[in-house]
Structure formats: structure tokens, C-alpha cells
Amino acid sequence: MVNTISVPNTQTFVDKNQTSLFASVSQRLEKALKYVAISEDAIARLRYPKASLSVSIPVRMDDGSLRVFSGYRVRYDDTRGPGKGGVRYHPKVSLDEVQSLAFWMTFKCALLDLPFGGAKGGVTVNPKELSKSELERLSRGYIDAIADFIGVDVDILAPDVYTNSTIMGWMMDEYSTIKRHLCRGVVTGKPLTIGGSQGRDTATATGAFHVMQTFLPKFDRVPEETTVAIQGFGNAGATLAELLAKAGYKIVAVSDSQGGIYAPQGLDIPSVREHKNSRRQIKAVYCQDSVCSIVEHQTITNQELLALDVDVLIPAALENQITAANAADVKAKFIFEVANGPVTTEADRILQAKGVRVFPDILVNAGGVTVSYFEWVQNRNGWYWTLEEVNQRLQTKMETEAKKTWAIAQDLQIDIRTAAYIHGLNRLGEALDAKGTKDYFSIRE
């Protein structure tokens, strides 16, 4: 049985002054608050980020001109440990978005029982328009602007949308230059040669795979009889597609920002990935020497992919992909959120009414931050693990927390997303209350 206590209905998390995306995101807690014994003090502290930073980053471009980019870093909560969260490069990055992502990270780290709080960062930029030299100057400029805001025991960075191990290496190097000593633990997701961890580049996908393998058998789903569509064919989506295909699942559709392909009989995922990596396009045909894999397919849009009649839908791109406008079109029986926030709060209600099972991002995509934790630990100890050790520890962590979340959902007869927030809230509440509450300070000696 899950030990939970209802709280007064007067407790609410959403604040009318919160910005649009964050207000929508924080609504996810409303249902969870009904089932946890969390103090009013804890709710008050979780309602707002601990610290937010907005910076300007001047970059000298290759043609000699100067451009100034907007950058952000939000440390939402550090009660359970230093802030932890990625840095994304995207044209739509805003403080509202970064704050929302930092909020999610807070609950993700608590859900996985990692000794971290939640943080996030980003730069408003289209990295595809920058040369490699400009990208390096931007990355180092970002660190120069936020150096006093981060640290090995304060706030730890990681890759996110359109950032990678090379960029993380630049950031770690720049921070070390500023501090005048090597600071490997300030950034995770680095290249192996400068302190990165085995398995970090595939951790998000590997973690999601273990979550799927934990949950789908509970609904009598077997891989060979399960069709899958994946929106987002970046590192996480493509790696997960390969893992699922090797396990016997039929991947019938994949897409990237330009569109997608669909083949009811199943796609040859290694061929699709090879073509994507070599030509930056998704196609189902790839030929090399005497080996040629040809699969008949049709071209589809991202919206068409979301509406395909498949068993499992995996949004692995950006947030707000399934909304009130298209949720009714979703035909999948299960949704696993590999992206952060791909399903809006309004869409959640529609999908739940349709009987669609949605497995939340704060659990499904937590493999990345889990192995980032492993990397941080290895950096601090100076002792590095093999790929097998990393993968085994990751599998144990993901399966353990997935099973605990499932137990909460079954015991309370609620949806998995609410159960995940309950699980995280219980841990956050205990940590926040350990510093003292109204009840504690109201007691007279």
C-alpha cells in the first residue's frame, strides 16, 4: 500500500501571476497534491524558482560583425542537491520555457531519487546558421556570462536540444579556464577523453527502453505484435528506434523537423539512421557496396505521424506537440514521452477520456540525467566505470522507479503521470520539511 494523505483543498500550486507555459506545466501538480502529505511551506517554496538569470552574449561572427544572443539559466530548487539540467540551443528558447524545463527537472531528479535539484539553461539561437567557430565562441561566451551562477556543487550543466558532447567539452574547458583549475564535474555529457561517462550519449533512449519494457508487458503487449511511431529522429529518437527494432518491435514511422516516412510493414531502422547521418535526410533507402536495403514507404508530415493507427506513439522532439487541437486525432493506445512536455495539460484530459495511456517525461526520459549523475560521481571519485556497469546501474534505477510509480498508480487507481508526480512530491516534501515547517516553528518550548 502507498502511504499517502489527502491535503486541504485550499492548497493549490498554480499562481495567477505565473507565465503561460509555466502555469500550464504547474497544473500537473494539482491532481497529485490531493494524495500527498506535503506542508504548505513546501508548496510555497516549490511555486517559484530559487534563482533565474538572463544574460546577453556578444559573439564576433566570422564575417567580422557582432551579434548579441540572449541566454538563460534557471535553478528551480536545490533542496535535495545542486541544480542539474541541460542547455538547449533553439530559436524559441525563452525564460518561460527554461523555467518550465527546470521545474520538470526538479521532479525528475526527485522521482529517480538522485541527489540533485532541478535546473535548465538555453540560448535563443538557430545553431544551424552558425559555423563551428561561431558555435564555439557562443558556447564559451555563455559560460563566461553564467560562471558565477554554476558550479560542481551548485548547478551542473548537460546537453539538451541541439547541444552535444563537443559543446559540453567547450563549456567545461571555459569554466575551468575562468576558475584556474580543472572542473570536470561542472558539466556532464562530455567527450569520454575529457571525463565523460560511458553510455551517456545513449542514456535517454536506453532509459526509455527499460521503462517501456517494464510497462508494456503489464498490458500483455509483446514486441512482435506492437507497432511504433516515433516523432523526432535525433539522438534519443533514433537510438530508441534501434533498440526497439532489435527487441522485435515494428517501427512503422519516424520523422524529423522536415517531415517523416511511413511503412506499414515496418522500416529498416539501421538503414534510415545511416541515411539520416550521412545526408541529413530521413529516407527508407540506403545502399552501401553490395548491401542494399529497400523498403517501400510514403512521405508523411509530423502531424500525420501523430495521428497514425499504431500501438505506441513516442514524441521525441519538442514540447507541445499533442495539444487540444489534435489530441482527438491520436489513435495510439500508449504514449511514451521521450521529449520534455510533448503533451499539453489540455491534451492530457482528452487522451485520458479516450483511454490512451500516457507515460510521463519525468520518468520516461530520465535516463539522461541518471547517467549524468553517474558521470558526476565518476568525475568526483576519479574512478570510471565500464559501459556494462553503467548500463546495468541505469537499468536497475529505471526499472525500480518505474515499478514504484506503477504501484502508486494501481493502489490509488490514478493515471501514471499523477502517480509520478506523487512519487516525486513525497521525496521533495520530505526534504523541504526537514528544514522546518510552520507546525514546527509554531510549537512552544
Side-chain angles (χ1 to χ4, degrees):
M1 295 290 289
V2 179
N3 186 17
T4 57
I5 304 175
S6 295
V7 296
N9 292 330
T10 56
Q11 293 199 83
T12 180
F13 194 86
V14 178
D15 189 290
K16 65 181 181 180
N17 295 319
Q18 291 169 350
T19 51
S20 57
L21 178 59
F22 182 68
S24 176
V25 167
S26 56
Q27 287 179 32
R28 297 274 166 82
L29 284 184
E30 293 301 316
K31 291 170 66 176
L33 286 173
K34 300 175 183 178
Y35 301 97
V36 297
I38 187 170
S39 68
E40 293 183 11
D41 295 39
I43 294 175
R45 293 174 66 176
L46 284 172
R47 185 173 286 123
Y48 305 102
K50 180 172 184 178
S52 300
L53 180 66
S54 299
V55 298
S56 296
I57 310 164
V59 176
R60 184 67 61 186
M61 309 303 285
D62 291 343
D63 63 2
S65 64
L66 184 72
R67 289 184 61 185
V68 180
F69 298 90
S70 295
Y72 310 95
R73 188 70 187 176
V74 174
R75 187 161 63 253
Y76 200 91
D77 181 79
D78 57 8
T79 307
R80 290 174 47 85
K84 185 76 185 74
V87 179
R88 64 172 48 184
Y89 289 173
H90 194 273
K92 294 185 179 180
V93 165
S94 66
L95 182 59
D96 183 34
E97 179 189 51
V98 172
Q99 177 172 300
S100 300
L101 293 167
F103 173 86
W104 273 316
M105 283 299 301
T106 300
F107 287 88
K108 188 183 300 184
C109 291
L111 175 63
L112 269 292
D113 202 18
L114 304 177
F116 289 141
K120 209 73 175 185
V123 178
T124 309
V125 60
N126 182 354
K128 298 177 182 179
E129 297 177 349
L130 272 58
S131 70
K132 291 181 180 179
S133 296
E134 291 168 339
L135 197 59
E136 180 182 7
R137 291 194 287 273
L138 173 66
S139 302
R140 291 182 180 275
Y142 176 70
I143 294 301
D144 185 60
I146 69 168
D148 294 332
F149 197 76
I150 62 175
V152 177
D153 292 308
V154 180
D155 187 354
I156 305 143
L157 281 58
D160 199 84
V161 176
Y162 291 137
T163 55
N164 56 24
S165 61
T166 298
I167 292 173
M168 294 302 107
W170 291 334
M171 290 184 174
M172 185 274 288
D173 182 67
E174 184 66 21
Y175 184 83
S176 297
T177 298
I178 293 169
K179 296 300 180 180
R180 297 294 189 266
H181 64 91
L182 187 61
C183 304
R184 286 181 170 173
V186 74
V187 173
T188 60
K190 305 178 296 293
L192 288 174
T193 52
I194 55 174
S197 173
Q198 295 281 355
R200 177 57 185 87
D201 57 338
T202 58
T204 300
T206 305
F209 176 76
H210 291 314
V211 171
M212 293 179 68
Q213 289 287 77
T214 300
F215 283 128
L216 287 175
K218 298 182 184 299
F219 300 94
D220 299 321
R221 302 301 314 184
V222 295
E224 293 75 15
E225 299 174 2
T226 304
T227 55
V228 180
I230 302 177
Q231 184 209 36
F233 206 67
N235 179 54
T239 302
L240 180 56
E242 284 199 347
L243 290 172
L244 292 171
K246 288 178 182 178
Y249 292 88
K250 184 185 292 186
I251 315 300
V252 299
V254 297
S255 69
D256 62 10
S257 58
Q258 303 302 311
I261 54 175
Y262 170 58
Q265 72 275 28
L267 295 165
D268 182 348
I269 295 302
S271 295
V272 177
R273 192 173 189 186
E274 183 66 34
H275 196 101
K276 166 75 172 180
N277 290 339
S278 62
R279 304 191 187 184
R280 313 308 302 168
Q281 292 179 330
I282 286 183
K283 290 184 181 292
V285 181
Y286 178 72
C287 298
Q288 182 177 358
D289 299 326
S290 60
V291 179
C292 186
S293 300
I294 301 177
V295 178
E296 293 296 326
H297 66 278
Q298 64 186 77
T299 301
I300 59 174
T301 66
N302 271 287
Q303 286 301 313
E304 289 172 334
L305 181 144
L306 296 175
L308 288 175
D309 188 3
V310 294
D311 298 309
V312 176
L313 175 61
I314 301 175
L318 295 172
E319 60 267 14
N320 298 338
Q321 297 301 299
I322 301 176
T323 67
N326 63 1
D329 299 327
V330 173
K331 301 179 182 66
K333 303 173 184 66
F334 307 94
I335 295 176
F336 288 86
E337 296 182 325
V338 173
N340 287 310
V343 179
T344 67
T345 305
E346 295 78 12
D348 249 344
R349 289 190 280 267
I350 297 172
L351 293 171
Q352 188 171 358
K354 285 164 57 72
V356 179
R357 300 266 186 170
V358 180
F359 298 87
D361 47 4
I362 61 171
L363 174 61
V364 177
N365 70 19
V369 70
T370 300
V371 177
S372 277
Y373 165 58
F374 296 164
E375 182 176 329
W376 182 73
V377 169
Q378 293 170 81
N379 289 162
R380 295 172 72 88
N381 291 339
W383 182 262
Y384 292 84
W385 309 338
T386 65
L387 178 61
E388 291 72 23
E389 288 175 312
V390 170
N391 284 339
Q392 183 55 57
R393 293 171 191 262
L394 174 61
Q395 181 175 355
T396 299
K397 197 69 168 171
M398 299 303 297
E399 290 179 350
T400 297
E401 300 307 332
K403 290 174 182 176
K404 288 181 179 179
T405 302
W406 175 257
I408 293 172
Q410 292 299 104
D411 187 63
L412 298 175
Q413 290 297 293
I414 56 176
D415 61 279
I416 297 294
R417 190 189 302 282
T418 303
Y421 275 101
I422 290 172
H423 196 21
L425 264 175
N426 281 329
R427 286 174 173 158
L428 279 167
E430 290 173 0
L432 288 161
D433 289 351
K435 295 184 177 182
T437 65
K438 176 183 177 182
D439 291 339
Y440 173 82
F441 289 108
S442 296
I443 297 175
R444 295 185 178 181
E445 296 293 339

